Amino acid sequence: FEKYAYEQLKTATTQAECGDENATSHACLNIVLYSRSHQPWLRMLLEAAAIPHWFNHDILAALLPATAITDEMYTGLISLPFVESFKGRGYNVHEATRKALRQQLAHTSPETMRLLSGYAAGYFSFYPDDLPERIYHQTVVDPSEAKVLAHEAKHIWLQTNKPELIHRLHHNVQELDGF
């Protein structure tokens, strides 16, 4: 294990020196997952958890409909050092790790990224206060439909005096610029 960890950190240092801002997050992620290799489902759960800005058991179940997520699996996920409590809504993957995971997934498996984002958009479509989150995921799946949703939502939010939702939407969509 020590040799694996050393090699990961050595590679991350070289990559960071070449401008890869996510190299250290990738290395730490790989080390933690390697140390828990007796839990092969952990990477799948972690990748799904990194799609939305926050998650709970219901959101994960919606993103992984073919997987029965047991309490042991969920507890294993939320016990990871880069998973933290999120504003009374559940948990989130720490921002740097989440960004690194999403970028890796977008590059290595864009079809999985779109599939998980589609499931997320579908889940959040049932929650009007989470419309910025739905539009964020819809942008990955179908940018033209997301643009229409965003345009309609902005008009409604302006009329109902909800500028915080416009701000959240703007922040969420800006995040996608790196993908």
Side-chain angles (χ1 to χ4, degrees):
F1 173 74
E2 289 84 13
K3 183 178 180 183
Y4 177 82
Y6 172 77
E7 290 299 323
Q8 285 292 311
L9 292 173
K10 185 176 158 186
T11 301
T13 301
T14 303
Q15 291 172 335
E17 288 171 356
C18 294
D20 183 353
E21 63 186 50
N22 294 316
T24 305
S25 294
H26 279 292
C28 293
L29 172 68
N30 288 336
I31 291 167
V32 169
L33 291 176
Y34 183 85
S35 73
R36 298 184 186 201
S37 58
H38 62 283
Q39 300 170 319
W41 41 263
L42 195 54
R43 181 173 270 291
M44 173 190 61
L45 244 56
L46 184 59
E47 286 176 349
I51 296 297
H53 287 93
W54 73 92
F55 68 90
N56 56 35
H57 199 280
D58 291 340
I59 293 171
L60 286 178
L63 269 60
L64 299 168
T67 303
I69 302 169
T70 66
D71 288 342
E72 176 189 356
M73 292 165 72
Y74 190 72
T75 301
L77 174 65
I78 63 174
S79 70
L80 291 171
F82 34 76
V83 173
E84 52 199 11
S85 182
F86 185 79
K87 301 177 186 177
R89 299 186 116 183
Y91 299 89
N92 72 311
V93 177
H94 184 272
E95 185 177 343
T97 304
R98 180 175 175 270
K99 182 179 178 183
L101 273 166
R102 287 179 57 84
Q103 285 182 337
Q104 183 178 30
L105 196 58
H107 290 8
T108 61
S109 187
E111 64 285 344
T112 300
M113 177 86 162
R114 279 191 297 279
L115 179 68
L116 291 171
S117 295
Y119 286 141
Y123 176 85
F124 289 109
S125 70
F126 293 103
Y127 301 95
D129 286 344
D130 292 327
L131 186 55
E133 190 73 8
R134 176 187 175 196
I135 294 169
Y136 169 78
H137 297 294
Q138 192 64 46
T139 301
V140 174
V141 179
D142 183 352
S144 58
E145 183 179 333
K147 190 174 183 177
V148 171
L149 277 171
H151 183 72
E152 292 171 358
K154 283 180 183 180
H155 285 290
I156 292 169
W157 295 333
L158 286 171
Q159 291 173 348
T160 58
N161 198 26
K162 293 186 177 181
E164 71 280 1
L165 294 177
I166 295 172
H167 175 72
R168 213 166 96 201
L169 173 62
H170 180 69
H171 178 267
N172 287 356
V173 173
Q174 275 188 322
E175 182 183 303
L176 293 173
D177 286 344
F179 295 97

